Amino acid sequence: RKNFIDMVPKTIMYFLVNHVRDACQNELVGELYGNATANATNSNSNGNGNGRESLSIASLMQEADDIAQRRQTCNEMKDLLSKALEIVNEVRDYNSFQ
């Protein structure tokens, strides 16, 4: 009985949180694609496609400069650490033969 009483509020919160999450996601996706579709419709009907819809989606998909720099730095560090590991393994193998 105590277990059941404990589970009721947890279940209610679970369904509330999932409902709010799904509603937010649906609204955000609808807003994103709704604006792109509206812009595409306007540019097609006007005949002067200015590329606003592709610009907005491209700008949303573009990687931020600081993130790109950090990714590049991490890739360089990974390469350096791989080379260092190879050197350490060579030294270990050399010492194990002597």
Side-chain angles (χ1 to χ4, degrees):
R1 177 173 165 93
K2 181 170 172 59
N3 193 17
F4 183 74
I5 292 172
D6 189 43
M7 296 274 300
V8 170
K10 291 178 182 177
T11 305
I12 292 171
M13 287 304 296
Y14 172 79
F15 284 115
L16 283 175
V17 168
N18 282 339
H19 176 71
V20 170
R21 184 197 66 201
D22 292 341
C24 287
Q25 182 178 3
N26 289 338
E27 185 174 338
L28 291 172
V29 169
E31 190 72 26
L32 175 66
Y33 288 118
N35 287 339
T37 304
N39 288 339
T41 304
N42 290 339
S43 66
N44 288 339
S45 64
N46 294 340
N48 62 354
N50 58 5
R52 280 192 316 199
E53 72 280 353
S54 62
L55 178 64
S56 65
I57 291 175
S59 66
L60 289 173
M61 297 298 293
Q62 184 177 4
E63 185 176 38
D65 293 336
D66 60 326
I67 300 296
Q69 179 64 37
R70 186 168 180 198
R71 181 178 44 80
Q72 182 180 1
T73 303
C74 287
N75 281 334
E76 291 171 358
M77 182 64 73
K78 180 186 69 89
D79 292 339
L80 288 172
L81 289 172
S82 295
K83 289 178 184 176
L85 181 62
E86 289 176 15
I87 293 170
V88 167
N89 286 335
E90 286 177 10
V91 168
R92 183 196 60 188
D93 292 341
Y94 178 77
N95 286 336
S96 65
F97 287 124
Q98 291 185 355

